[in-house]
Amino acid sequence: MTNSAIPFDKHEYWAQRFEHEASFEWLLPWSVLEPQMRAHNLLPEDSTAKILNLGCGNSDLPLDLYRSGYRNVTSVDFVASVIDRMRERCERAIGWQSATLSHETKDDINPGECPLQFLEMDCLDMSRLPEQSFQLCFDKSTSDAISCGDDDEYTKLRNLCVQVARVVTRPSGLWCVVSYSKFRQFEWTEGPGRGLWRTEQIVEIKTEQHQKKEKHAEATHKVFVPDVHQFIYVNRRL
Ligand SMILES: C[S@@+](CC[C@H](N)C(=O)[O-])C[C@H]1O[C@@H](n2cnc3c(N)ncnc32)[C@H](O)[C@@H]1O
């Protein structure tokens, strides 16, 4: 999204968008991601592992993680309205009632606290989150959004690298970034963000493309639709 005409890095853009949009899934859905992540050993075995979801928007990912068994998922986004709505939507979907302890999820690690937490927060300042508190940080197109309009020094992306590095466990905490871009960089050898991450794998996934419908039913020529790939950057905390 770098140099995009749409200001994907701006709070105002997302705040306005969320006024009219209830639900939207950026890039690959969990049904595609989960098997890929399992195949590459990227998901914690422990259902109580703490997972951070950066820039949750109004995607189904928190619920998907819950349905995959995870009971300690914190989602953050810098738009307050989407955080409020996601908290309400997800609590309703999993039948969470904070006022009663008769809630069915006896396996909750923090009794009385919903397994899906939502916080209004700028990912470029996560100082409110405790240090080294997450085993896995998940980021689906939020690095893309933040990179949009970044400067030539990659100031924002480097800051994101620093912010995430502080809150994941070290060594070996994971930051999995799903991106449409083949050229995202998380590993820096000098300057801000240096020496924090090793990108140990980039998993390339070919996305489903649908042939564009011809205007005329009788048209016989085929339309060339190029393959489109998305990427999971597997960043390991050094
Ligand atoms: C491309 S959307 C991805 C949403 C969601 N992760 C998904 O997969 O559908 C980017 C999201 O990041 C949020 N965002 C962008 N910059 C942010 C920042 N600096 N801090 C927190 N959230 C941010 C936006 O509000 C938006 O919800």
Side-chain angles (χ1 to χ4, degrees):
M1 289 180 193
T2 312
N3 298 323
S4 160
I6 301 174
F8 289 111
D9 58 328
K10 297 284 185 294
H11 180 278
E12 307 82 75
Y13 168 77
W14 291 104
Q16 269 188 22
R17 183 177 170 128
F18 293 139
E19 281 176 23
H20 313 287
E21 181 189 84
S23 173
F24 192 90
E25 202 63 54
W26 286 81
L27 308 186
L28 296 165
W30 188 239
S31 55
V32 175
L33 286 174
E34 183 180 20
Q36 290 283 344
M37 292 191 65
R38 290 210 184 280
H40 291 88
N41 252 333
L42 302 177
L43 286 174
E45 283 178 15
D46 180 2
S47 65
T48 66
K50 283 193 79 176
I51 299 177
L52 178 64
N53 175 23
L54 289 184
C56 59
N58 49 24
S59 110
D60 274 342
L61 186 66
L63 286 172
D64 292 328
L65 288 166
Y66 181 88
R67 287 173 188 135
S68 293
Y70 295 104
R71 292 293 180 269
N72 207 344
V73 179
T74 300
S75 296
V76 302
D77 202 289
F78 64 178
V79 178
S81 61
V82 85
I83 285 295
D84 290 345
R85 266 185 282 140
M86 284 296 282
R87 185 182 297 114
E88 202 187 317
R89 168 174 146 199
C90 292
E91 288 187 0
R92 200 178 332 110
I94 66 171
W96 176 260
Q97 290 158 334
S98 49
T100 73
L101 287 177
S102 60
H103 182 68
E104 55 169 51
T105 57
K106 298 171 205 69
D107 54 340
D108 289 345
I109 0 108
N110 300 317
E113 193 171 276
C114 184
L116 300 179
Q117 292 288 311
F118 292 89
L119 299 173
E120 175 195 353
M121 187 176 290
D122 189 333
C123 297
L124 299 178
D125 176 9
M126 296 197 286
S127 49
R128 277 160 54 211
L129 295 177
E131 240 183 89
Q132 294 204 59
S133 43
F134 297 94
Q135 280 103 307
L136 170 66
C137 175
F138 203 72
D139 165 346
K140 191 149 71 67
S141 209
T142 299
S143 292
D144 289 341
I146 286 174
S147 295
C148 173
D150 208 352
D151 56 26
D152 292 346
E153 313 294 319
Y154 300 98
T155 304
K156 289 182 183 175
L157 189 57
R158 284 173 181 265
N159 182 17
L160 186 64
C161 291
V162 172
Q163 296 292 322
V164 182
R166 195 186 67 81
V167 299
V168 298
T169 50
R170 60 179 182 264
S172 78
L174 265 185
W175 177 19
C176 292
V177 177
V178 183
S179 172
Y180 73 86
S181 172
K182 203 175 180 170
F183 303 106
R184 278 293 160 254
Q185 187 176 343
F186 303 94
E187 208 181 288
W188 307 93
T189 51
E190 55 186 37
R194 70 184 174 280
L196 298 176
W197 296 101
R198 189 177 68 251
T199 300
E200 60 182 25
Q201 253 188 101
I202 303 174
V203 181
E204 184 165 350
I205 304 169
K206 186 168 162 236
T207 63
E208 291 285 325
Q209 289 289 309
H210 301 288
Q211 290 279 329
K212 279 186 189 149
K213 288 229 169 76
E214 292 296 323
K215 275 190 185 146
H216 308 292
E218 67 274 14
T220 52
H221 65 280
K222 290 195 173 146
V223 177
F224 173 69
V225 181
D227 287 346
V228 173
H229 294 83
Q230 293 178 14
F231 306 88
I232 308 176
Y233 290 82
V234 181
N235 299 313
R236 182 80 64 183
R237 181 69 166 98
L238 293 171

